[in-house]
Amino acid sequence: PQPLVYQQQQAYPPQPQYQPQPQYLPAHGLPPQGYGQPGPYPGAAPAGGAVSPVRSPPPMMQGGSAMPAASSRRRIYPEQSMEAFSAQQQQQAPQYGHSGMPPLPGSGQPAADPNAGQGAFFVPGAAQPPIISPSAAQGLSPQGYPSAQAMQQSPGYPPPLATQMSAPMAPQMADLSQQFSQMGVGASTTEYQTILLGGKPPLAVLDEAPPAIKLPLNAACVPSPNVICPANHKRSTLNAIPRTDKLLKKTKLPFGLVITPFKTQEQGEEPIPVVSEIVRCRRCRTYVNPFVQFVEGGRRWKCNLCGLSNDVPLIFDYDSATQTNRNRWVRPDLNYSVVEFVAPLEYMVRPPMPPVYVFIIDVSYASVQLGAPGVIGQTILSALDRIPNADNRTKVAFIAVDSSLHYFQVRPNGAEPQQLVVSDLDDIFLPSPTDLLLNLYECRQGIECLLSRLESMFKTNHSVGNALCPAILAAQKMLGTLGGKVIVMQASPPTIGEGKVEPRTEGKDLGTSRESDLLRPQNMWYKTMAAECSRTQIAFDTVFIGQQPMDVPTVSCLARYTGGSVFYYPSFMATRKPEVERFTQEFSNHLSARVALESVLRVRASKGLRMASYYGNFFLRSLDLLALPNGLPNHSYAVDIEIEDTLTSPVVYFQTALLHTTAYGERRIRVATLALPTTDNIHTVFHHADQVAIASLLSRKAVDRALVAKLEDAREALQHKALEIIGAFKTECTQSSSGATTQLQIPRSLQLLPFLTLSSLKHTSLRGGNNVPTALRMSAINSILTLPAEQGVQPYTVPRLYALHELPPQAGYPDEQTGIVELPPRLGLSAESLLPFGAYLLHDGSDTFLWFGRDVSPALCQALLNVQDVRAIPSGVITFPDLSNGASADGPAAGFELNFQVNNILRRLNDLCHNLWKPVTYVCKEEGEPVLRMWMSQRLTEDMDTSAPSYQQFLNQIRDKVNRGNF
């Protein structure tokens, strides 16, 4: 409470009792000098004999604190006291830039003391109350030196106030703080808010940022706004880490990271800063980051992971090339949590490799019937200019496969391409070892000629064999020790060589306990080959075309263990324009991606933490080293973390380093450092859990378990984990810890955990029933393992649903400030949201559904698709039209504003998915084809279907099991 301030007209206000004032500590961490020193004091009696209304400085008592002066009856006004103490501070407090003091962080010139003019005495009625800087309260400078302990030992400096008060009062204050925090006192209402499970799930929460990471003051050596690692680079399931494994097990929460080490730059994001000098810890090899501490006057830096003190190199403060001083506090590696280091020669075991692409194309009878060779050739031809080739070093090769191997030889002089056919597949050899790997720049004319003739070369081919295994061996010989990427495009199963597979009859096994056997590789040759190729920096991408059984679980091992991708196009035919457009755009985007060549990923953590297991597409070279011959942009990896020892530090750190070669031949290291606070409070752990990261980690663990165990075990484990988390919160953090309750409580940060669990159970990767083909399930499992947490949860697992008949006026138009297209409010994923007179858009990343009610307005049909009424709209696959004035038009055409808005919304949704997919649009009517309606209803996860209950039924099951403790 503010003290009572008397008005000036009161002649004799009561004199308040004098109390010792807190010692003033400026922002740089040094206490003011001057108490008890001789010399004139501000406000002393002037030479003329006039009496000053300001008291003399109080004498010093033991420990450096001021003793109360003898009681004086002379009146002192607040303004005079403020002026006197400010004058004292200006004369006695050290200033920035003073001899022996560090400069102001972020600038190369001295700056004024931010606390100048603010006294440590409380002045009644002053406009601005005096403020002691947080860094001063900690006794540390923002730079991290000199420390309060060092200043306490220095002669002439009284000990800080914290030293005087912490000894007798710290235990009591700590106990009070913990008790108040457990009661929610001092926390924001939204941070520690508890939600009752029930009703409709608030899906808009998925668009919110994860719980804030609240680090202690001075956790970073520089007060930069960029020291918090962005969630789309590295995301933890817990943003407040329990200090003991016992507390972690009590919460039942999973502890892990979802890492996207090679993320692309999004719209509105700053580019990742590049640093040319590398500074690392001598013991643990941690890269210097914003959370290191500078000690011994800034001459050494203390590693934030292992605690070892290292010498600060001269390059931090002096540029030997220009012979000028440097300001270390503006270094990017001290201000940004994500940086890229330019690696020197010692990080290379050989010269940087060029981008190399080997295309293995199926030209058997099954592929020719689909028209695949012609479409593949035209797609690669159109993407030649987009393939990374800035320095003209990129190399390509082509191998056509049926019952023989077809090599293509192209010479730089522009001659016609020559086809070399090898039918003897017992002993693989290259007919022309030096001319099969073509320089894209030098042989461009011959490559274009070859790709344009690919369809006509094999249009009469009737060979039904597929020599994929010999083709892979030939590609391995072709690349040798150079390394590169092999893209396998198949429309039929391999039937020749060691890697041949037998056809499986999966119809009777789908939906039974034997279905799990279909997900396991039939032939281990592909996994062994992937391990061998990973050592020589060869990666695989697998593209499956058509509905013919191709044993995707077996062949996709090539991509899974070399860090590649899996593409599946079951509805592909050259005569289907939307399917051809999807394949062309997705495959072109994949070829044009700037991949990380010869890359390895390492994850480091603070003492007491251990990386238990990893999930994703990679080859595990050692306990903490992931081999990625071709690191793909926006591929993510998950890691389970265990707490081995008690965490004594208030902050723990995780650092990931991706050593790679860019497409331009430069060796670089992308480093991301994540700092998370620790706590002993179980409430804090629950209320700082990230439900999106938890759902992503649990779904990866579930699909990984489905590949090695059974699908039913994976579903039960996923549901059991959600029950454990909700039950643990009920037991540990609510008043109804024992006994039944009608409604379950859950932290606001986990309010969508039951819904996300149900969505994963209904997703194609884990859905029950006998209507999910094995190839489609394997493609979905690969997407779950590789997608970032943001895209893997939504829209891939939780689609977005919008009402097109009631779009807000600003939806579909760019925001005036950010330029980003605004999205309309999303609806619940239930049939209750679909009204008979409405039109709706459902987007799940790979597919888009337009749903029309039977009573939809003809005006809406005209404005959206330029048709008269809903009966004129064809059902099934369509190409969504663009009825604007042109592709570059800034505004819609008259009468087609709705079409303009929806097109912009679709583009924005694709941008949110990094343009990974080219969705195919399906028209589904309320009274249309039952297959389309069933296909769309499977994405309405709030409703009941044959594979899982509805959301309300699922909540009732959770409540009953938690109340009974039966889980």
Side-chain angles (χ1 to χ4, degrees), residues 17-285:
Q17 184 180 359
Y18 183 87
Q19 296 181 358
Q21 300 298 327
Q23 182 177 342
Y24 174 77
L25 295 176
H28 45 63
L30 289 176
Q33 307 180 40
Y35 280 154
Q37 298 179 1
Y41 190 81
V51 179
S52 172
V54 183
R55 297 175 184 171
S56 299
M60 302 295 294
M61 66 178 182
Q62 186 177 4
S65 60
M67 288 288 294
S71 177
S72 173
R73 296 182 181 275
R74 188 173 302 279
R75 183 126 178 241
I76 178 169
Y77 288 94
E79 294 80 359
Q80 296 169 332
S81 175
M82 187 69 174
E83 294 172 0
F85 194 76
S86 301
Q88 174 194 6
Q89 294 301 106
Q90 294 174 5
Q91 291 188 8
Q92 299 178 4
Q95 301 294 324
Y96 284 104
H98 188 269
S99 177
M101 293 302 301
L104 184 67
S107 66
Q109 300 178 356
D113 188 349
N115 286 327
Q118 296 181 3
F121 294 104
F122 176 77
V123 181
Q128 295 291 337
I131 300 175
I132 298 178
S133 66
S135 58
Q138 295 289 331
L140 296 172
S141 67
Q143 298 91 347
Y145 67 92
S147 64
Q149 292 79 3
M151 299 314 306
Q152 182 179 357
Q153 298 171 2
S154 301
Y157 290 88
L161 179 66
T163 306
Q164 306 172 25
M165 299 181 60
S166 60
M169 299 181 62
Q172 293 85 347
M173 294 301 297
D175 294 340
L176 286 175
S177 299
Q178 183 175 5
Q179 293 175 13
F180 280 122
S181 63
Q182 290 178 356
M183 293 185 294
V185 177
S188 62
T189 56
T190 57
E191 181 182 356
Y192 284 86
Q193 185 178 359
T194 301
I195 305 296
L196 294 178
L197 283 179
K200 296 291 183 180
L203 299 183
V205 177
L206 292 175
D207 298 322
E208 298 179 358
I213 300 175
K214 297 186 176 181
L215 298 177
L217 295 175
N218 301 322
C221 61
V222 177
S224 170
N226 302 305
V227 297
I228 301 296
C229 185
N232 48 16
H233 284 270
K234 190 188 302 184
R235 196 162 185 165
S236 174
T237 57
L238 304 177
N239 284 347
I241 309 302
R243 292 183 178 173
T244 62
D245 184 59
K246 181 180 179 181
L247 181 59
L248 177 62
K249 291 180 178 178
K250 186 182 293 185
T251 63
K252 304 298 182 182
L253 290 168
F255 182 22
L257 299 175
V258 181
I259 306 167
T260 309
F262 201 59
K263 179 189 168 297
T264 57
Q265 181 181 349
E266 296 181 3
Q267 182 180 0
E269 286 186 346
E270 296 182 5
I272 296 177
V274 180
V275 184
S276 56
E277 306 97 357
I278 296 180
V279 180
R280 303 180 68 179
C281 175
R282 290 182 291 110
R283 177 192 294 164
C284 66
R285 309 303 295 162

Side-chain angles (χ1 to χ4, degrees), residues 383-515:
L384 288 180
D385 292 331
R386 301 177 60 187
I387 294 178
N389 190 25
D391 51 359
N392 297 329
R393 298 191 308 147
T394 301
K395 297 179 180 295
V396 296
F398 302 91
I399 302 176
V401 176
D402 49 16
S403 57
S404 304
L405 298 183
H406 305 259
Y407 301 94
F408 298 94
Q409 187 181 47
V410 179
R411 301 189 182 277
N413 55 10
E416 292 289 324
Q418 297 180 1
Q419 181 180 175
L420 307 176
V421 182
V422 176
S423 300
D424 184 7
L425 305 179
D426 294 333
D427 188 10
I428 302 302
F429 66 95
L430 300 178
S432 180
T434 59
D435 298 336
L436 300 180
L437 205 56
L438 316 173
N439 185 282
L440 181 58
Y441 175 77
E442 298 174 354
C443 306
R444 179 64 179 266
Q445 183 177 355
I447 293 173
E448 292 179 352
C449 180
L450 168 64
L451 294 175
S452 60
R453 297 180 180 179
L454 196 61
E455 181 179 11
S456 59
M457 285 183 184
F458 301 98
K459 64 179 181 180
T460 59
N461 188 12
H462 292 81
S463 175
V464 295
N466 186 338
L468 175 60
C469 172
I472 293 174
L473 293 174
Q476 185 185 22
K477 289 181 176 291
M478 190 181 300
L479 295 176
T481 59
L482 184 63
K485 175 181 289 190
V486 180
I487 303 176
V488 177
M489 289 172 281
Q490 294 294 291
S492 59
T495 58
I496 300 175
E498 298 180 15
K500 66 179 180 180
V501 296
E502 301 295 334
R504 302 191 192 185
T505 55
E506 61 180 35
K508 298 180 180 180
D509 295 335
L510 294 180
T512 66
S513 59
R514 298 185 301 273
E515 183 179 4

Side-chain angles (χ1 to χ4, degrees), residues 349-396:
V349 296
R350 61 177 181 177
M353 59 175 286
V356 181
Y357 301 85
V358 177
F359 298 90
I360 299 179
I361 305 173
D362 184 3
V363 294
S364 63
Y365 179 75
S367 179
V368 172
Q369 290 297 107
L370 296 175
V375 175
I376 292 173
Q378 292 299 322
T379 302
I380 300 176
L381 179 62
S382 62
L384 288 180
D385 292 331
R386 301 177 60 187
I387 294 178
N389 190 25
D391 51 359
N392 297 329
R393 298 191 308 147
T394 301
K395 297 179 180 295
V396 296

Side-chain angles (χ1 to χ4, degrees), residues 469-765:
C469 172
I472 293 174
L473 293 174
Q476 185 185 22
K477 289 181 176 291
M478 190 181 300
L479 295 176
T481 59
L482 184 63
K485 175 181 289 190
V486 180
I487 303 176
V488 177
M489 289 172 281
Q490 294 294 291
S492 59
T495 58
I496 300 175
E498 298 180 15
K500 66 179 180 180
V501 296
E502 301 295 334
R504 302 191 192 185
T505 55
E506 61 180 35
K508 298 180 180 180
D509 295 335
L510 294 180
T512 66
S513 59
R514 298 185 301 273
E515 183 179 4
S516 301
D517 297 333
L518 300 175
L519 301 177
R520 298 187 180 91
Q522 182 185 156
N523 191 327
M524 300 304 296
W525 183 88
Y526 294 92
K527 182 178 179 180
T528 305
M529 175 56 62
E532 293 179 2
C533 291
S534 177
R535 297 186 182 95
T536 56
Q537 305 299 330
I538 299 176
F540 289 88
D541 291 330
T542 53
V543 183
F544 301 97
I545 302 173
Q547 295 184 349
Q548 186 171 348
M550 291 169 281
D551 206 336
V552 175
T554 301
V555 182
S556 62
C557 289
L558 294 170
R560 184 180 181 190
Y561 295 102
T562 59
S565 297
V566 177
F567 298 90
Y568 181 47
Y569 302 96
S571 303
F572 178 89
M573 287 190 67
T575 56
R576 297 175 180 174
K577 183 180 178 181
E579 294 289 344
V580 172
E581 291 178 353
R582 164 186 272 188
F583 172 82
T584 300
Q585 181 169 332
E586 292 183 2
F587 193 55
S588 298
N589 292 340
H590 183 70
L591 291 178
S592 63
R594 266 54 178 174
V595 297
L597 307 174
E598 301 178 287
S599 56
V600 289
L601 176 67
R602 190 184 298 273
V603 184
R604 296 181 175 91
S606 297
K607 292 181 180 179
L609 299 175
R610 186 178 69 89
M611 309 299 146
S613 54
Y614 298 87
Y615 305 94
N617 287 359
F618 54 84
F619 182 77
L620 191 61
R621 187 173 297 178
S622 63
L623 295 178
D624 61 345
L625 189 64
L626 279 63
L628 308 170
N630 275 199
L632 296 175
N634 302 313
H635 261 215
S636 70
Y637 311 89
V639 53
D640 254 337
I641 303 175
E642 293 181 355
I643 301 177
E644 290 186 320
D645 301 322
T646 301
L647 305 177
T648 57
S649 174
V651 184
V652 293
Y653 305 94
F654 303 91
Q655 188 176 87
T656 56
L658 180 72
L659 174 63
H660 65 281
T661 302
T662 65
Y664 309 104
E666 188 177 24
R667 197 71 169 158
R668 288 194 176 187
I669 310 167
R670 181 173 293 191
V671 177
T673 306
L674 173 65
L676 296 174
T678 59
T679 181
D680 289 323
N681 192 339
I682 193 172
H683 294 262
T684 305
V685 177
F686 271 109
H687 288 280
H688 286 80
D690 187 350
Q691 57 189 352
V692 174
I694 290 175
S696 178
L697 178 61
L698 291 181
S699 61
R700 294 167 194 262
K701 297 176 69 173
V703 297
D704 185 77
R705 185 168 184 173
L707 295 176
V708 298
K710 294 184 178 181
L711 274 170
E712 190 61 33
D713 294 343
R715 301 186 193 106
E716 291 180 358
L718 183 61
Q719 185 174 354
H720 179 76
K721 193 62 179 179
L723 289 171
E724 280 189 333
I725 296 173
I726 299 173
F729 183 79
K730 174 180 179 293
T731 304
E732 303 293 340
C733 302
T734 62
Q735 296 179 354
S736 57
S737 58
S738 62
T741 179
T742 56
Q743 282 186 310
L744 293 176
Q745 299 181 25
I746 198 168
R748 186 181 184 276
S749 60
L750 295 175
Q751 59 181 317
L752 287 180
L753 179 62
F755 178 76
L756 296 177
T757 302
L758 180 62
S759 299
S760 297
L761 294 174
K762 291 187 175 184
H763 190 257
T764 307
S765 57

